[in-house]
């Protein structure tokens, strides 16, 4: 990831805010599906204009909606989620392989291109950006912070503005979460009592 990227901010390459946007909420959860570990992320940004409002220049011909501050202002903030609108998420490993050591320096590719951008429910994540758009081609990396349960996460992916009918994933986002606690597997002992029915 670029050294100029600050932690706990998300950057939409080429949008009106090159300094990025603050991440207000980030949740990392775990689910077991058929003896496999799956992760879920839920991310919400601050309002796009929260730190710096931009006056829209009526005399300027913006190349696309992506470049126009007023368009971003109409949609307020971004949510990227594997849980908010559908049952998404992404596979990590078999359950018996999962540990914090295994997770350290793990790099995962999720919904790699080429893929069908029409099937939103089949994707790991859905996104509300400039409307309900599409997010694919994720690269997610985990870095354990010393010997703690916390991790630094680097995440980038591509966006297609499908809300307005653009199915080309030509826009990129990237972010870094400075420190977040990893979800833990808890195994409850199974008590088996042998006996005869009366």
């Amino acid at each position: 990831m670029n050294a100029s990227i600050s932690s706990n901010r998300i950057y939409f390459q080429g949008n009106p805010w090159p300094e990025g946007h603050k991440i207000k909420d980030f949740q990392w959860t775990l689910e077991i599906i058929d003896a496999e570990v799956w992760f879920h992320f839920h991310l919400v940004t601050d309002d796009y204009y929260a730190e710096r409002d931009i006056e829209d220049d009526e005399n300027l011909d913006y190349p696309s909606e992506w470049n126009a501050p007023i368009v971003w202002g109409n949609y307020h903030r971004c949510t990227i989620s594997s849980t908010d609108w559908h049952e998404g998420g992404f596979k990590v490993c078999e359950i018996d392989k999962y540990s914090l050591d295994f997770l350290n320096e793990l790099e995962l590719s999720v919904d790699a291109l080429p893929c069908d951008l029409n099937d939103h429910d089949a994707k790991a994540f859905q996104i509300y950006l400039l409307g309900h758009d599409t997010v694919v081609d994720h690269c997610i990396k985990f870095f354990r912070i010393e010997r703690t349960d916390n991790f630094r996460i680097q995440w980038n992916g591509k966006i297609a503005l499908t809300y307005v009918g653009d199915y080309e994933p030509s826009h990129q986002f990237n972010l870094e979460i400075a420190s977040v606690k990893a979800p833990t597997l808890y195994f409850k002992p199974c008590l088996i009592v042998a006996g005869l029915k009366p």
Side-chain angles (χ1 to χ4, degrees), residues 125-140:
F125 301 96
Q126 292 190 21
I127 184 171
Y128 181 85
L129 183 77
L130 303 182
H132 287 282
D133 296 309
T134 303
V135 62
V136 293
D137 205 29
H138 306 269
C139 178
I140 304 170

Side-chain angles (χ1 to χ4, degrees), residues 70-83:
I70 192 170
V71 174
W72 288 80
N74 287 340
Y75 295 99
H76 305 293
R77 70 189 63 85
C78 175
T79 299
I80 306 175
S81 181
S82 63
T83 57

Side-chain angles (χ1 to χ4, degrees), residues 2-198:
N2 192 309
S4 66
I5 298 300
S6 297
S7 292
N8 302 324
R9 299 183 72 81
I10 187 167
Y11 299 80
F12 302 106
Q13 299 303 317
N15 91 331
W17 288 269
E19 69 273 23
H21 308 275
K22 181 180 177 182
I23 296 170
K24 284 184 66 175
D25 184 28
F26 181 82
Q27 299 171 25
W28 177 15
T29 54
L30 176 154
E31 181 181 13
I32 304 299
I33 303 174
D34 296 330
E36 296 173 343
V37 175
W38 285 60
F39 282 163
H40 293 282
F41 291 164
H42 176 81
L43 177 151
V44 181
T45 72
D46 206 346
D47 288 344
Y48 300 134
Y49 43 80
E51 296 173 312
R52 181 172 66 91
D53 203 359
I54 300 175
E55 289 289 332
D56 212 53
D57 189 343
E58 296 179 359
N59 299 315
L60 188 61
D61 186 18
Y62 295 104
S64 70
E65 291 190 347
W66 184 266
N67 307 100
I70 192 170
V71 174
W72 288 80
N74 287 340
Y75 295 99
H76 305 293
R77 70 189 63 85
C78 175
T79 299
I80 306 175
S81 181
S82 63
T83 57
D84 211 34
W85 301 285
H86 74 314
E87 295 180 3
F90 55 97
K91 178 184 170 182
V92 179
C93 63
E94 304 295 325
I95 193 171
D96 58 350
K97 290 184 179 178
Y98 184 73
S99 70
L100 298 186
D101 286 336
F102 171 82
L103 197 56
N104 187 31
E105 299 188 6
L106 180 67
E107 179 176 334
L108 296 173
S109 176
V110 179
D111 289 334
L113 292 173
C115 63
D116 181 7
L117 272 68
N118 288 291
D119 192 353
H120 292 270
D121 287 342
K123 301 292 178 289
F125 301 96
Q126 292 190 21
I127 184 171
Y128 181 85
L129 183 77
L130 303 182
H132 287 282
D133 296 309
T134 303
V135 62
V136 293
D137 205 29
H138 306 269
C139 178
I140 304 170
K141 302 177 186 178
F142 302 88
F143 301 91
R144 192 172 185 181
I145 298 174
E146 297 176 344
R147 300 299 296 175
T148 69
D149 293 346
N150 285 22
F151 281 75
R152 177 168 53 91
I153 297 175
Q154 294 179 346
W155 179 10
N156 61 64
K158 293 180 180 174
I159 300 164
L161 299 181
T162 50
Y163 185 71
V164 293
D166 182 358
Y167 284 82
E168 182 64 34
S170 55
H171 303 288
Q172 182 162 331
F173 76 89
N174 52 334
L175 65 95
E176 179 173 281
I177 302 296
S179 179
V180 60
K181 185 175 171 125
T184 306
L185 283 174
Y186 292 101
F187 294 98
K188 294 182 179 180
C190 180
L191 178 62
I192 301 175
V193 179
L196 298 175
K197 290 183 179 179

